[in-house]
């Protein structure tokens, strides 16, 4: 199933992730799919320590911005019925290869997470791990998540922390120990490397979630553990920085 891709933001981000897939995610997809448990973020915080997802057995799950779909693969191994949605054909090709290698088959759909070609009220859980949560307009993709969920369904998503984004230099690079950009400019951030991200403030996230019928269950601010190491590819925050300030925000909400 394929929707037409429209808009400069989508084209820029698809081009960027085609490059990222060739440089990093394709090579490391097998390792991500082979993980023994679900973890979150740059520093792989185990979900069992946070209790965000809970029991996913027999749940219908859609991952918005699935990339190589390793999270969907791990959810499938826990008994969920996932569907992966992503804009970038190269990422989905890697995901399909991993499905064959690991013997897990579930739908992979090339589509914009702001306009998903799936029926209303079809899922119990929507997840986004640095997918739509970063790369799509929040008002649009959260509304789409609400449309896709059944009443009482849950939304779980991970994104850069507001603080980390405020501290990342305008020319990109690791977060600094001081603010380098105004918070009001974070709604839409165009990076020199070509990507376009969206980083609402906590207040804006709350307004967007509530406007679309969600009740917020939790906001986990993720720090690097004492033995955490700086990520080999993604230059967002060093482990040293993230031991002092949260590098990522992990949100959980339920549809009223």
């Amino acid at each position: 199933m394929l929707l037409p891709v429209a808009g400069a933001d989508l084209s820029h981000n698809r081009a960027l992730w085609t490059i990222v897939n060739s440089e990093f995610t394709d090579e490391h997809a097998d390792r991500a799919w082979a993980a023994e448990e679900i973890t979150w973020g740059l520093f792989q915080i185990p979900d069992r320590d946070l209790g965000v997802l809970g029991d996913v057995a027999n749940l219908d799950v859609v991952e918005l911005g699935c990339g190589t779909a390793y999270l969907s693969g791990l959810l499938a191994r826990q008994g969920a019925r996932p569907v992966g949605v992503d804009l970038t054909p190269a990422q989905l090709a890697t995901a399909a290869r991993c499905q064959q290698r690991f013997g897990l088959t579930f739908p992979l759909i090339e589509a914009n997470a702001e306009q998903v070609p799936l029926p209303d009220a079809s899922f119990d859980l929507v997840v986004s791990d640095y997918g739509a949560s970063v790369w799509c307009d929040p008002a649009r993709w959260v509304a789409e998540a609400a449309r896709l969920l059944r009443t009482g369904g849950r939304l779980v998503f991970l994104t850069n922390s507001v603080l980390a984004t405020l501290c990342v230099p305008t020319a990109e690079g690791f977060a600094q120990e001081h603010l380098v950009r105004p918070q009001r400019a974070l709604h839409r951030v165009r990076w020199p490397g070509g990507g376009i991200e969206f980083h609402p403030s906590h207040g804006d996230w709350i307004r967007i979630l509530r406007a679309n019928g969600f009740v917020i269950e939790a906001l986990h601010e993720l720090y690097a553990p004492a033995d955490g190491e700086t990520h080999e590819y993604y230059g967002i925050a060093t482990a040293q920085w993230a031991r002092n300030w949260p590098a990522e925000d992990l949100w959980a909400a339920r549809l009223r």
Side-chain angles (χ1 to χ4, degrees):
M1 301 173 70
L2 176 63
L3 284 180
V5 175
D9 288 0
L10 302 182
S11 297
H12 283 303
N13 287 342
R14 184 171 59 177
L16 173 66
W17 279 97
T18 301
I19 294 171
V20 172
N21 190 71
S22 67
E23 291 182 346
F24 180 76
T25 56
D26 181 73
E27 179 182 354
H28 290 79
D30 287 352
R31 182 177 68 185
W33 272 71
E36 295 183 355
E37 64 177 337
I38 292 174
T39 61
W40 295 104
L42 297 171
F43 305 103
Q44 299 184 322
I45 309 301
D47 186 73
R48 58 179 160 78
D49 292 346
L50 302 171
V52 174
L53 289 174
D55 184 5
V56 299
N58 298 313
L59 296 186
D60 294 310
V61 183
V62 60
E63 183 179 3
L64 299 182
C66 67
T68 61
Y70 62 86
L71 177 56
S72 287
L74 295 175
L75 291 167
R77 276 158 46 188
Q78 293 187 10
R81 295 180 294 270
V83 176
V85 176
D86 201 89
L87 186 68
T88 306
Q91 296 264 76
L92 293 176
T94 298
R97 187 198 76 217
C98 289
Q99 284 187 333
Q100 291 183 337
R101 175 171 180 180
F102 289 89
L104 291 170
T105 302
F106 50 83
L108 297 170
I109 298 174
E110 183 185 337
N112 172 18
E114 299 172 4
Q115 188 179 11
V116 180
L118 292 169
D120 296 359
S122 299
F123 296 94
D124 306 298
L125 175 65
V126 173
V127 294
S128 182
D129 180 4
Y130 274 117
S133 54
V134 173
W135 302 96
C136 292
D137 185 305
R140 293 179 179 175
W141 81 261
V142 171
E144 193 70 342
R147 182 187 69 80
L148 292 168
L149 281 171
R150 299 173 178 127
T151 300
R154 300 180 70 234
L155 169 63
V156 174
F157 63 95
L158 179 73
T159 183
N160 306 93
S161 73
V162 176
L163 183 58
T165 311
L166 289 170
C167 294
V168 171
T170 54
E172 301 188 65
F174 291 117
Q176 305 297 299
E177 294 190 6
H178 57 275
L179 303 179
V180 298
R181 62 177 74 238
Q183 184 162 320
R184 285 184 171 179
L186 295 188
H187 177 75
R188 181 181 181 277
V189 180
R190 172 77 180 267
W191 296 107
I196 296 166
E197 299 181 1
F198 297 85
H199 294 286
S201 67
H202 289 160
D204 285 341
W205 272 125
I206 291 169
R207 282 188 286 274
I208 291 167
L209 289 165
R210 286 175 58 85
N212 286 284
F214 286 100
V215 175
I216 296 165
E217 294 183 331
L219 166 59
H220 298 273
E221 296 174 304
L222 303 187
Y223 294 81
D227 59 351
E229 298 182 357
T230 301
H231 197 276
E232 60 189 296
Y233 184 81
Y234 298 118
I236 299 170
T238 65
Q240 180 179 358
W241 189 96
R243 278 190 276 273
N244 295 310
W245 300 282
E248 292 149 323
D249 291 337
L250 177 61
W251 292 83
R254 187 178 297 276
L255 190 65
R256 286 193 296 265

